[in-house]
Amino acid sequence: MHKSGFVNIIGNPNVGKSTLMNALVGERLSIITSKAQTTRHRIMGIVSGEDFQIVYSDTPGILKPSYKLQESMMKFVTGAVTDADVILYVTDTVERSDRSAEIVERINQSGIPTIVVINKIDLSTPEALDALVDKWQAEIPGARIVPVSAKENFNVEGVFKIILELLPEGPAFYPKDTLTDKTLRFFASEIIREKILKFYDKEIPYCCEIEIDSYKEEPAIDRIAATIYVARDSQKGILIGHKGEKLKRVGQTAREDMEQFLGKKVFLQLFVKVSDDWRNNERQLRRFGYEQE
């Protein structure tokens, strides 16, 4: 018997969806930072065994859209509720559940097997955790409730075992050695974006988009050129910094992470351009890989 299926990870910003996905896949595929809205696309991570294949899908955090980019991000979320074989709804020990009432209702209406993962239990008490388990059992009746600490890798194996139990029978969707559906170009752009999230405050990380202009693979080195687009001219100066020092730091740390990810040397060039209010420009959003109706 062979089991396979799509396991979609859904939840509010900052509850640890990407940390959980990376722990389940065993690879760092999704950006992890303390800032909200770090995931913009659906990112697949594929785990295969002799008699199973799990296709995990990390999604953006649930939010009320205030511009077209966020509208597109929410399409990834609503799509993830309908095309899953198993839903992993991630919450934590401190968030307010009313923020995602609409998605919870969609999950209840879907009839799809659901696991509610209560993350960050290392920040809670046994009594508070018991109350949360009862609350989520009432919110999503029939769901399996699993307390974890994804950061500490506590009970991640328990989540994996329940997923295997709930997966339908079927053949593998991808070759067994496939890790993700994304390209090296995508991961290069995500690594650069992660550094911008790390080193800049306020609106700068949310006004940046990365485009890989060229990616040349050579035996000993990968040569990558990328453009960072910002929404306004004033943001360009902030991003570059005095004498280019801030951009240089982004480039250096991104290159180091790319070399670790790829297992080889990387030559990275970064450029900065202004694309006026690209987050509300449908043509630009399509170009950057965001779906528009």
Side-chain angles (χ1 to χ4, degrees):
M1 181 181 72
H2 189 280
K3 289 187 159 194
S4 64
F6 291 85
V7 177
N8 296 346
I9 304 171
I10 299 167
N12 284 319
N14 272 13
V15 293
K17 297 185 303 299
S18 296
T19 307
L20 179 63
M21 156 111 158
N22 291 344
L24 285 164
V25 175
E27 293 280 348
R28 193 154 166 256
L29 299 179
S30 288
I31 286 179
I32 304 169
T33 81
S34 58
K35 293 184 172 74
Q37 300 173 43
T38 52
T39 302
R40 286 181 178 171
H41 296 265
R42 279 182 73 172
I43 301 169
M44 285 186 184
I46 302 161
V47 176
S48 299
E50 207 170 294
D51 56 357
F52 71 90
Q53 183 174 82
I54 305 170
V55 185
Y56 293 104
S57 185
D58 189 15
T59 62
I62 299 161
L63 50 78
K64 199 167 185 177
S66 54
Y67 40 84
K68 287 187 184 295
L69 168 64
Q70 291 184 338
E71 287 174 14
S72 179
M73 287 162 60
M74 286 307 93
K75 283 177 193 167
F76 291 131
V77 177
T78 52
V81 175
T82 57
D83 66 11
D85 292 300
V86 176
I87 292 171
L88 271 192
Y89 181 82
V90 184
T91 178
D92 65 20
T93 54
V94 294
E95 76 153 352
R96 298 193 335 266
S97 62
D98 59 331
R99 293 169 62 195
S100 53
E102 188 182 329
I103 291 292
V104 168
E105 183 57 32
R106 282 176 185 257
I107 291 170
N108 281 327
Q109 290 172 0
S110 73
I112 296 168
T114 299
I115 303 168
V116 174
V117 176
I118 303 175
N119 192 22
K120 305 180 187 176
I121 62 168
D122 48 308
L123 304 178
S124 187
T125 64
E127 296 77 22
L129 188 57
D130 285 344
L132 274 176
V133 170
D134 291 342
K135 181 181 90 72
W136 282 108
Q137 201 72 76
E139 292 247 353
I140 308 180
R144 306 281 282 274
I145 317 294
V146 188
V148 308
S149 172
K151 189 178 177 183
E152 304 296 330
N153 209 27
F154 174 78
N155 208 24
V156 173
E157 183 69 20
V159 177
F160 172 74
K161 285 176 180 174
I162 295 173
I163 290 168
L164 271 186
E165 188 185 317
L166 295 175
L167 275 188
E169 288 182 39
F173 294 96
Y174 297 91
K176 288 285 184 132
D177 59 352
T178 306
L179 177 63
T180 181
D181 65 325
K182 298 298 185 188
T183 62
L184 291 179
R185 279 175 171 258
F186 175 82
F187 287 110
S189 69
E190 285 288 274
I191 288 169
I192 296 165
R193 195 163 66 82
E194 181 185 49
K195 300 311 167 193
I196 294 169
L197 280 157
K198 180 179 178 180
F199 295 132
Y200 298 85
D201 292 322
K202 298 176 182 174
E203 90 278 9
I204 293 295
Y206 304 105
C207 293
C208 290
E209 183 62 44
I210 320 301
E211 186 170 52
I212 303 300
D213 304 315
S214 64
Y215 193 121
K216 295 175 184 171
E217 293 183 63
E218 297 176 11
I221 193 168
D222 282 6
R223 300 181 186 277
I224 303 166
T227 298
I228 304 168
Y229 286 92
V230 292
R232 294 195 303 277
D233 202 54
S234 59
Q235 294 162 353
K236 183 177 179 180
I238 296 169
L239 191 70
I240 293 171
H242 182 62
K243 294 184 178 177
E245 285 302 314
K246 285 192 174 181
L247 187 64
K248 185 179 177 184
R249 180 169 63 165
V250 169
Q252 182 180 332
T253 54
R255 177 184 56 76
E256 289 167 359
D257 271 20
M258 287 176 190
E259 289 180 340
Q260 190 174 355
F261 184 77
L262 297 165
K264 67 192 293 194
K265 286 284 184 188
V266 168
F267 176 76
L268 176 65
Q269 284 182 297
L270 293 180
F271 307 94
V272 182
K273 290 183 182 177
V274 179
S275 176
D276 290 331
D277 197 23
W278 66 266
R279 296 182 302 177
N280 277 311
N281 184 316
E282 291 190 10
R283 185 176 64 81
Q284 284 286 67
L285 287 169
R286 273 195 297 271
R287 178 177 152 196
F288 294 143
Y290 299 100
E291 295 173 13
Q292 298 295 302
E293 286 181 349

